[in-house]
Amino acid sequence: MILRRLHLHACASRRSLAYAAAAALCGTAPRTLPSAGLLRRLHDAAGDGPSSDSEHGRRPGPLTLYRNLVSQGKLTYDSYQENVASELDNLLRRLQQYEMEMEDYHAQLYIWENSREKERRRLLVEEAEDKQRDGVWIDEKRGFLDKLVTRRRRGNIEPGVGKWVSYLNREKKLDKLVGQRPVSPVAPKGLYLYGNVGSGKTMLMDMFYGATEGVIKHRRRFHFHEAMLEIHDHMHDVWKRRDDDKSVQSSAFSWISSLPFDAKIKEWLIGEEKYKQETQQKHILLAVADKFLVDRQANKTGASILCFDEIQTIDVFAVVALSGILSRLLNTGTVLVATSNKAPEDLNQDGMQRDIFLELLSKLDENCNKILVGTEKDYRRLIPTEGSTQVHYFWPVTSDTYSMYEAMWHDITNQIGGDTISVTIPVMFGRSIEIPQSCNGVARFDFEYLCGRPVGAADYIAIARNYHTIFISEIPAMSMKIRDKARRFITLIDELYNHHCRLVCLAASSIDDLFQGTEEGPLFDLESFQFETEAEGTKLRRDVLAEGNVGLRPSTCGLVAILSGQEEMFAFRRAISRLIEMQTPLYLERVQHAHPSFQLQAAPAVASNNRTCVSQCAPSV
């Protein structure tokens, strides 16, 4: 143990010296490093078994959590789930060491990047001096002989070289002067979990994600809908930033203004700098990927992990975006833990953008272990309900059930206090949505307001982030006649479940009978959410695809395959399964711990996630 602590102290010292050296090179203050105490705790924990979690004050691992829930009778034992929990536990222990390795790597990278930038500017200044001295831009007052001599001398200085060749030559010189980029440590393999509805994939991934808090700096959990919308949002930001050239020039090129060169030489320097920026920002998905993880831009040290729930490739954009972004993240050392109802090779049965998809498959195979959560049971139906004294799903719609629904609304709002008012909350892309009845973290809607209008996943995410308790009345039995409303309702349930909201419903039928009409044909559309951008307005993605404005359309056969019963039935089963779980005591007792608004209250320093929350403590109803 003493030797281990000495080793950690030495590692921390090396990192401190490395950052100090980098700061000296660039004239900047060194970044704040993690304390040696934190690093020691991480290193000590890396060698301990799951039984020692509480001794070291860190969160229990997935295997400990799973076994505890089984022993308490809150979960039914399943060998597949225990195997996955064990694999996630092993990954968590490897991540603790990987975090420290990545801190060392980023310290070396910090020195390398700053040294390279210093040398690059020195080379640029030398080139500028040569150009000014040799008269690349000739003063008209000079004589004919001077001009002739100058032109001959310029013949030895890369005559006619374009910006691209000049850029490459400069990069080659930098490789010789500074050396190659430091080699990053090998990331531990992530996990790709796939299986049927209710097999426990999301539950196990969330156990793992919770256990990484305080262990991994850069961590993010996404559901598919949220990820796609955030990709759109980041792409919009990148395009907007590129269009705003003037503001970029004033900050990025300010070092040039003080140099003792003629105006035309300075223009050349700015042109070279702009070309470097354009070259590095050529691929927009790479720029989006670099913004995808929390605080990655603010602090580059340490490892990163991405938990991705319900990976899908439902159209061309999803295939291209996921391939580009996931490949970039995996290439830069991010560890991926993902869930899906399909094995990776079965994600794109329509064959959209096949070459790009095959590259994604190769990356997933290289960086993730595939694990089938092979149970055929829907364990959400087996979660014990003993001790539950409250009903949160009222059906059918009668005077009695309506009275009980109203009574629960009044009980909860009275407990929480405050007036019931109408408010407007922000949505992504500068949009907003009105909440007709809002009371300190509790909101009330009818089905038509949420699912009968052109709203989508972005609206549902905003509602789920802001409200821990949602009341929805007048929910009909779904049929082919209202398939768009059914599609929206499924997306709504996904987001309320993903954000761990409490849901109170007044519906026309039981949960199991809620989705009717599947014999008539598929109930909902190709895409699970609508476009939210300024260009497409509120059009559904299928309408934009039909107009040919986004990518290439799948083949007709592909559309038939995508819209056939398999995809729809999985979505229906998932929604039903989640609605059932949302009525259980195990789910309801975790609302106050798992909902985003309570996490922000518990850790205000993490409130930089752009989430405007209007919630208070959830009443124990």
Side-chain angles (χ1 to χ4, degrees):
M1 182 63 72
I2 293 174
L3 289 175
R4 182 182 301 168
R5 291 180 179 177
L6 288 173
H7 169 72
L8 275 170
H9 181 72
C11 289
S13 298
R14 285 200 305 273
R15 278 188 283 276
S16 298
L17 289 171
Y19 277 101
L25 274 172
C26 299
T28 58
R31 291 193 184 101
T32 302
L33 291 172
S35 67
L38 172 60
L39 295 177
R40 182 168 59 251
R41 289 196 297 274
L42 294 180
H43 193 278
D44 289 344
D48 297 324
S51 61
S52 63
D53 292 334
S54 58
E55 296 176 15
H56 292 272
R58 63 179 173 88
R59 291 170 177 258
L63 186 58
T64 301
L65 280 172
Y66 178 76
R67 287 174 173 171
N68 286 345
L69 289 171
V70 170
S71 65
Q72 295 166 16
K74 295 181 178 180
L75 291 178
T76 303
Y77 173 77
D78 180 87
S79 59
Y80 288 104
Q81 292 180 355
E82 186 178 51
N83 175 57
V84 172
S86 178
E87 291 291 333
L88 290 168
D89 231 42
N90 292 335
L91 175 58
L92 181 63
R93 284 195 288 271
R94 292 195 295 273
L95 282 172
Q96 291 161 358
Q97 179 63 33
Y98 182 58
E99 169 75 12
M100 291 186 289
E101 292 173 355
M102 286 298 285
E103 285 183 355
D104 283 332
Y105 163 70
H106 282 128
Q108 298 170 28
L109 183 63
Y110 185 82
I111 294 174
W112 181 84
E113 287 177 340
N114 283 279
S115 178
R116 190 179 181 90
E117 178 62 15
K118 181 180 178 181
E119 288 296 322
R120 191 186 66 81
R121 292 188 180 185
R122 185 181 63 79
L123 290 177
L124 271 175
V125 170
E126 286 181 356
E127 290 180 41
E129 289 172 344
D130 288 342
K131 290 179 184 297
Q132 180 150 302
R133 182 178 61 251
D134 295 336
V136 172
W137 288 278
I138 301 171
D139 189 339
E140 293 300 325
K141 295 180 181 180
R142 296 171 67 186
F144 172 78
L145 185 60
D146 284 343
K147 293 180 182 179
L148 181 62
V149 172
T150 298
R151 288 194 183 106
R152 288 179 177 175
R153 292 178 64 186
R154 285 170 53 194
N156 298 324
I157 308 177
E158 299 179 342
V161 171
K163 280 187 169 58
W164 172 241
V165 176
S166 179
Y167 172 79
L168 288 180
N169 288 340
R170 200 174 297 123
E171 291 297 304
K172 290 178 182 177
K173 290 178 183 177
L174 289 171
D175 288 340
K176 293 179 180 178
L177 289 169
V178 184
Q180 296 294 324
R181 183 186 184 93
V183 178
S184 62
V186 178
K189 271 197 169 186
L191 295 177
Y192 182 102
L193 311 177
Y194 66 103
N196 292 321
V197 167
S199 59
K201 306 180 298 295
T202 300
M203 174 192 71
L204 292 163
M205 184 189 75
D206 285 343
M207 288 179 179
F208 169 78
Y209 182 72
T212 61
E213 185 175 352
V215 176
I216 302 299
K217 286 189 183 72
H218 310 290
R219 49 195 286 276
R220 195 78 187 268
R221 183 204 185 278
F222 279 110
H223 182 267
F224 174 78
H225 302 316
E226 189 176 18
M228 291 295 103
L229 288 167
E230 184 142 333
I231 290 170
H232 277 295
D233 192 26
H234 286 325
M235 289 175 69
H236 178 75
D237 287 345
V238 171
W239 278 321
K240 184 178 180 181
R241 191 171 61 250
R242 289 182 183 180
D243 289 339
D244 194 8
D245 288 332
K246 292 182 179 178
S247 62
V248 173
Q249 287 183 25
S250 62
S251 58
F253 309 145
S254 58
W255 68 276
I256 297 174
S257 61
S258 60
L259 296 176
F261 295 123
D262 295 340
K264 290 187 177 181
I265 299 288
K266 290 182 179 180
E267 287 178 13
W268 173 81
L269 284 169
I270 290 174
E272 295 295 308
E273 287 287 75
K274 287 181 67 176
Y275 185 79
K276 185 203 75 167
Q277 278 192 348
E278 291 167 1
T279 301
Q280 294 177 346
Q281 296 176 353
K282 185 175 181 180
H283 302 291
I284 190 169
L285 287 178
L286 303 185
V288 171
D290 290 340
K291 296 179 62 179
F292 214 54
L293 294 173
V294 176
D295 294 334
R296 169 56 83 192
Q297 296 300 315
N299 180 5
K300 292 185 178 181
T301 64
S304 56
I305 185 162
L306 174 64
C307 290
F308 201 125
D309 194 26
E310 298 290 349
I311 281 187
Q312 306 170 47
T313 55
I314 51 180
D315 63 9
V316 172
F317 177 80
V319 173
V320 174
L322 286 180
S323 179
I325 288 173
L326 291 182
S327 295
R328 170 73 166 187
L329 292 174
L330 293 172
N331 283 337
T332 54
T334 296
V335 177
L336 174 69
V337 175
T339 73
S340 181
N341 65 307
K342 291 182 176 181
E345 57 271 19
D346 297 328
L347 283 172
N348 186 22
Q349 294 179 342
D350 186 41
M352 297 176 289
Q353 297 291 319
R354 180 171 176 78
D355 291 342
I356 294 176
F357 178 71
L358 289 177
E359 291 176 8
L360 174 61
L361 283 186
S362 175
K363 279 294 172 189
L364 289 175
D365 185 61
E366 179 184 346
N367 293 277
C368 293
N369 292 318
K370 295 186 297 183
I371 300 182
L372 171 64
V373 189
T375 180
E376 295 296 326
K377 296 178 182 178
D378 181 350
Y379 277 101
R380 293 189 179 108
R381 294 179 176 272
L382 302 180
I383 297 175
T385 57
E386 291 82 359
S388 177
T389 58
Q390 287 287 346
V391 174
H392 293 79
Y393 188 95
F394 300 96
W395 72 280
V397 181
T398 64
S399 57
D400 289 340
T401 55
Y402 181 79
S403 297
M404 290 187 285
Y405 177 83
E406 286 290 325
M408 179 165 282
W409 165 260
H410 289 298
D411 286 345
I412 289 179
T413 53
N414 287 338
Q415 284 186 44
I416 208 165
D419 297 328
T420 299
I421 58 174
S422 173
V423 300
T424 300
I425 62 173
V427 182
M428 298 176 74
F429 309 107
R431 295 176 49 242
S432 61
I433 185 171
E434 183 181 354
I435 311 300
Q437 299 184 68
S438 169
C439 181
N440 289 333
V442 183
R444 177 169 173 167
F445 309 89
D446 60 48
F447 176 84
E448 281 297 318
Y449 188 84
L450 287 177
C451 304
R453 306 186 305 135
V455 294
D459 303 272
Y460 302 146
I461 290 170
I463 292 170
R465 287 175 175 175
N466 280 274
Y467 294 96
H468 53 69
T469 302
I470 312 291
F471 281 72
I472 306 175
S473 61
E474 302 175 33
I475 301 173
M478 310 296 163
S479 68
M480 181 66 176
K481 295 178 181 178
I482 58 169
R483 64 179 186 176
D484 282 353
K485 298 177 184 179
R487 172 193 57 80
R488 293 191 186 102
F489 185 69
I490 288 171
T491 303
L492 172 63
I493 297 303
D494 279 344
E495 295 310 325
L496 297 182
Y497 179 87
N498 290 327
H499 289 82
H500 219 96
C501 299
R502 176 172 50 182
L503 178 62
V504 182
C505 298
L506 178 61
S509 64
S510 68
I511 293 175
D512 280 317
D513 294 331
L514 193 58
F515 295 97
Q516 299 295 327
T518 53
E519 294 181 357
E520 303 173 24
L523 269 179
F524 70 107
D525 305 317
L526 169 64
E527 174 57 62
S528 299
F529 63 90
Q530 69 190 53
F531 272 112
E532 308 284 351
T533 61
E534 298 170 0
E536 286 80 20
T538 57
K539 295 178 184 178
L540 300 179
R541 183 186 288 275
R542 68 170 193 277
D543 299 328
V544 178
L545 282 172
E547 295 170 7
N549 291 336
V550 177
L552 300 174
R553 295 183 63 189
S555 64
T556 305
C557 296
L559 282 173
V560 173
I562 290 175
L563 293 174
S564 64
Q566 184 180 11
E567 292 292 334
E568 288 73 20
M569 289 309 299
F570 179 84
F572 301 151
R573 290 199 309 269
R574 184 181 68 225
I576 290 170
S577 178
R578 289 180 167 180
L579 279 169
I580 290 172
E581 183 185 350
M582 292 170 84
Q583 314 307 311
T584 64
L586 180 62
Y587 178 93
L588 292 168
E589 70 187 22
R590 291 190 62 241
V591 169
Q592 190 154 337
H593 303 289
H595 188 269
S597 62
F598 301 119
Q599 293 178 350
L600 290 176
Q601 290 174 10
V606 189
S608 59
N609 210 8
N610 296 327
R611 297 181 177 181
T612 305
C613 293
V614 294
S615 56
Q616 304 293 327
C617 291
S620 56
V621 174

